[in-house]
Amino acid sequence: MTADASAQQAPDPANTAPARAEQEGQKAFRVTAWSVAWMLLALVIWGWFAYLMLADYGPELEGRAMCRGPLVGPSSGDTRCSDPLRQWPALLGILALATIATVSAAATIVYAKVLSRLTRRDAPGVRLQD
């Protein structure tokens, strides 16, 4: 193999830098979209958890629901108030799901920010300030 042939096979760094920066920018945008999706999912689960903890439920008695939310008041001993989603094991499971979604959202947001900063730093024509 001659030196001339090896020079033709090696990619030109000046031509590949913009393409690589474009790919990294697209990756950063994709991760940002995932972070928004995780955040929306976390907000929905937190809203559902808050609703189950605070809202009254069950049959109406004198214009208001007979059963109080677990966080609002004492539970009624009535059998009509035994909703499985209002029991503590189910509520703790929903809380765990909300926590997992929130941590995933925070991690993807941080990763997206790091990717976007690295993309801007490595972009051609960008000068770093001292």
Side-chain angles (χ1 to χ4, degrees), residues 13-63:
N15 291 337
T16 58
R20 195 178 94 226
E22 177 75 23
Q23 288 174 346
E24 289 176 358
Q26 289 174 352
K27 185 177 179 182
F29 179 75
R30 233 184 352 253
V31 172
T32 302
W34 274 106
S35 69
V36 169
W38 275 112
M39 186 58 68
L40 290 175
L41 178 66
L43 287 172
V44 167
I45 296 173
W46 279 111
W48 182 36
F49 178 72
Y51 174 77
L52 289 175
M53 289 292 288
L54 299 173
D56 294 341
Y57 63 101
E60 296 264 336
L61 183 67
E62 297 174 5

Side-chain angles (χ1 to χ4, degrees), residues 55-109:
D56 294 341
Y57 63 101
E60 296 264 336
L61 183 67
E62 297 174 5
R64 71 178 254 238
M66 190 171 101
C67 308
R68 307 277 299 178
L71 201 60
V72 176
S75 63
S76 173
D78 197 345
T79 58
R80 293 179 285 185
C81 292
S82 63
D83 185 10
L85 276 179
R86 306 291 176 137
Q87 303 302 317
W88 283 108
L91 290 170
L92 291 176
I94 295 168
L95 178 63
L97 283 176
T99 304
I100 290 169
T102 303
V103 168
S104 297
T108 53
I109 286 171

